[in-house]
Amino acid sequence: DMLEVGCQHGPGGKLDPGLSFAETRSHFGAWAIISSPLVLSLDVNNETVLDLVWDVIANKEAIAINQAWAGHSGLPFKESSKRIVHEWLDWPSRDSGKHEQDGDEAELHVQSADSPKWQYFYKPLAGGSTKVAVL
């Protein structure tokens, strides 16, 4: 797993457009509230991409929540019973030997998974306060 904020393409390569702005905010927020390392994987020399995500990656409150430690990294505590299905393009496994043969790339195939329509995450902070994120 990696923080995918600002990546121009998703795991499907050039055919995968990456995250929308709403997905970018949600992804960064989830990483922030569970204290995951906020290591950027975008090209910081690409000013167009940087301008698109700057308000997200420079959010001082989200960064402060991420860096605060009161003995707990943050967890989901409630989620929707309704599920949504996500589909994405993926390459065959490199272990299958079918990813690339004689310079020809293998065909992409569709993967899918489901997740809750929404989730609540919480993170206890020093002084008895708690932060909550709704994703």
Side-chain angles (χ1 to χ4, degrees):
D1 246 346
M2 66 182 231
L3 185 61
E4 296 186 21
V5 170
C7 292
Q8 291 183 298
H9 303 292
K14 291 181 181 180
L15 298 176
D16 185 342
L19 301 177
S20 69
F21 186 73
E23 291 168 330
T24 293
R25 284 189 351 216
S26 295
H27 188 63
F28 191 82
W31 278 63
I33 202 156
I34 62 171
S35 301
S36 290
L38 300 177
V39 178
L40 298 177
S41 54
L42 60 97
D43 179 359
V44 296
N45 295 311
N46 184 329
E47 290 183 23
T48 303
V49 172
L50 202 55
D51 287 345
L52 289 172
V53 299
W54 185 255
D55 289 343
V56 175
I57 65 174
N59 183 317
K60 291 180 181 182
E61 185 177 9
I63 293 168
I65 291 168
N66 173 265
Q67 294 177 355
W69 183 255
H72 195 285
S73 62
L75 290 170
F77 70 92
K78 188 173 184 178
E79 66 182 31
S80 168
S81 61
K82 294 182 181 179
R83 310 291 287 184
I84 53 175
V85 176
H86 308 275
E87 292 183 341
W88 66 94
L89 298 173
D90 199 6
W91 298 103
S93 167
R94 290 190 187 274
D95 296 335
S96 71
K98 296 179 182 177
H99 182 67
E100 191 174 313
Q101 295 176 346
D102 301 325
D104 295 329
E105 292 180 352
E107 292 182 26
L108 292 170
H109 53 96
V110 176
Q111 297 285 339
S112 65
D114 71 322
S115 64
K117 189 170 183 176
W118 51 260
Q119 287 182 296
Y120 291 170
F121 286 75
Y122 78 101
K123 181 176 180 181
L125 300 177
S129 68
T130 300
K131 294 294 182 179
V132 174
V134 179
L135 306 174

